[in-house]
Amino acid sequence: MRRIQNLTARKCETIKEPGYYADGQNLYLQVSKALSKSWLFIYKFQGRKHEVGLGGYPDISLAVARDGAARWRKVLIAGDNPIEIKREQEYKKHCSRIDNPTFAQCANKFIESHQAGWKNPKHAQQWKNTLDHYVLPIIGNLQVKQIDTGLVMRVLEPIWLEKNETASRLRGRIENILDWASVHKYRQGDNPARWRGHLDKLLSSPNKIQRIKHFKALPYHEMNGLLLALRSNSSISAMALEFLILTAARTGEVIGSQWNEIDFNQKIWIIPAERMKVKKEHRVPIASRTLEILSNVKQLKVNDYIFPGRTRNGGLSNAAMDKLLQVTLNYDATVHGFRSTFRDWASEITNFPHEMCEMALAHSIKNQAEAAYRRGDMIEKRRVMMEAWLTYIETKPCKVK
């Protein structure tokens, strides 16, 4: 009579030689050359030998492996081939995952399909970070068709008052992902993350919670002192910041600027549409001092970026100019705020037209009729304005009683 249950828990733990160790009734413990262990149900069907894996040891204990072998023996006794039954089960499970994806799977697919159209490459990472931190631990493993208003509220309620700006962005991201899932037929019905007519009845309005935060700007009459401080600092960050101030450009436009965008003959910086906030090419007249900065920084050229960063092929980091301004020079202001400084100067002590100032800042035209008829960009008139801006900040202000 063949002996069954040859193995014991102690023996399974202490086996150190590679091979197959029979427990009886088709159950074997396989020990590899690397001494990893796994359970196998080994049998013959229609004259051919087959193996069905039951899982690894010690995650699958001897007792659990015996139960698994017993289930497959019943299949064998019924006249079916266990390996074919297992493949069929795995296929159905795979189809179920495809037809009923989790929220996390839909989120990944949504980001993959949309990130090419996002302006900032870091946008995709921001999506992933906020979803990983706030959303996926709560609803990530649930099938997307199961997501309802209660689950969305479980994500948003804990942070709605304390971190409303983040929570508002999250709500929009959840809504977009669920809309994507609905279009792909993974879920039906209304979107439980919809704001108007739905979550606005359950959560306080962001306008009542958030305080408007403006970028802190340096008053224009203090610009001369900053300019002197920048010119006494020979770093790439200082040259980049002065370049930003003189062109009234955004941080991303400056740190992403490359040498092929500069037309030295025409003295124009041409920023391509894909790097602009409004997705439209923007021409910037280069003032005399701006041209000097370009000449100086060109002597340090190491790659295609006008203002290179620490990496061999990269540009200046996003925080470099703010760090210089706030830490090194100890100014209580932000880099983005210099656009406001320029705008205040143009409005309060010059007669330059409003539309010219808006063009200098590359603002979109809200009036659709005006936008349809505007063709030029006043480049030469703006050149005069930018020279006036340079002259103003290079001039030491008079003391006022």
Side-chain angles (χ1 to χ4, degrees), residues 87-267:
R87 286 171 182 163
E88 185 178 341
Q89 290 175 349
E90 289 177 346
Y91 177 75
K92 288 181 179 178
K93 190 175 181 180
H94 174 70
C95 291
S96 176
R97 284 198 298 268
I98 293 175
D99 294 336
N100 298 300
T102 64
F103 181 87
Q105 289 171 328
C106 290
N108 289 333
K109 290 290 185 182
F110 178 90
I111 294 172
E112 287 175 10
S113 61
H114 286 78
Q115 61 184 353
W118 287 336
K119 299 173 186 176
N120 192 336
K122 294 182 180 180
H123 197 47
Q125 192 59 49
Q126 290 169 351
W127 267 68
K128 291 176 182 177
N129 291 344
T130 53
L131 291 173
D132 288 345
H133 187 74
Y134 297 105
V135 183
L136 300 190
I138 299 175
I139 62 175
N141 292 328
L142 297 177
Q143 291 181 342
V144 71
K145 66 181 181 182
Q146 295 177 295
I147 307 303
D148 58 15
T149 303
L151 290 169
V152 174
M153 289 291 289
R154 278 184 58 192
V155 173
L156 298 178
E157 267 190 317
I159 59 172
W160 190 256
L161 296 178
E162 183 181 351
K163 301 178 180 179
N164 184 257
E165 189 174 349
T166 299
S168 296
R169 287 199 192 102
L170 276 177
R171 185 209 61 76
R173 288 168 185 175
I174 296 171
E175 182 180 18
N176 282 326
I177 293 167
L178 295 179
D179 278 342
W180 180 91
S182 296
V183 171
H184 285 80
K185 310 298 183 185
Y186 296 143
R187 59 174 287 114
Q188 295 179 337
D190 293 336
N191 192 322
R194 188 182 77 252
W195 176 253
R196 185 168 295 179
H198 186 58
L199 290 184
D200 62 348
K201 310 302 179 188
L202 301 174
L203 296 167
S204 301
S205 171
N207 294 333
K208 296 180 180 178
I209 299 173
Q210 296 177 5
R211 292 182 178 180
I212 298 174
K213 294 182 180 180
H214 296 288
F215 290 102
K216 188 169 285 189
L218 192 69
Y220 52 80
H221 57 78
E222 295 182 21
M223 289 298 297
N224 180 256
L226 172 63
L227 193 68
L228 295 176
L230 288 176
R231 291 182 180 178
S232 65
N233 186 307
S234 59
S235 67
I236 293 288
S237 298
M239 288 188 281
L241 183 51
E242 186 178 353
F243 182 89
L244 177 143
I245 292 169
L246 297 178
T247 57
R250 298 179 176 90
T251 299
E253 294 158 10
V254 172
I255 64 176
S257 61
Q258 299 194 13
W259 287 109
N260 60 7
E261 298 173 3
I262 304 296
D263 184 338
F264 283 98
N265 292 327
Q266 299 294 323
K267 297 181 181 179

Side-chain angles (χ1 to χ4, degrees), residues 296-309:
N296 293 337
V297 80
K298 197 167 188 178
Q299 298 175 19
L300 308 172
K301 182 179 178 182
V302 294
N303 57 34
D304 292 335
Y305 287 94
I306 295 175
F307 302 103

Side-chain angles (χ1 to χ4, degrees), residues 1-8 11 22-25:
M1 182 176 180
R2 182 180 295 179
R3 183 181 173 187
I4 60 173
Q5 297 190 343
N6 294 314
L7 300 176
T8 63
K11 188 173 182 180
D23 182 58
Q25 294 186 316

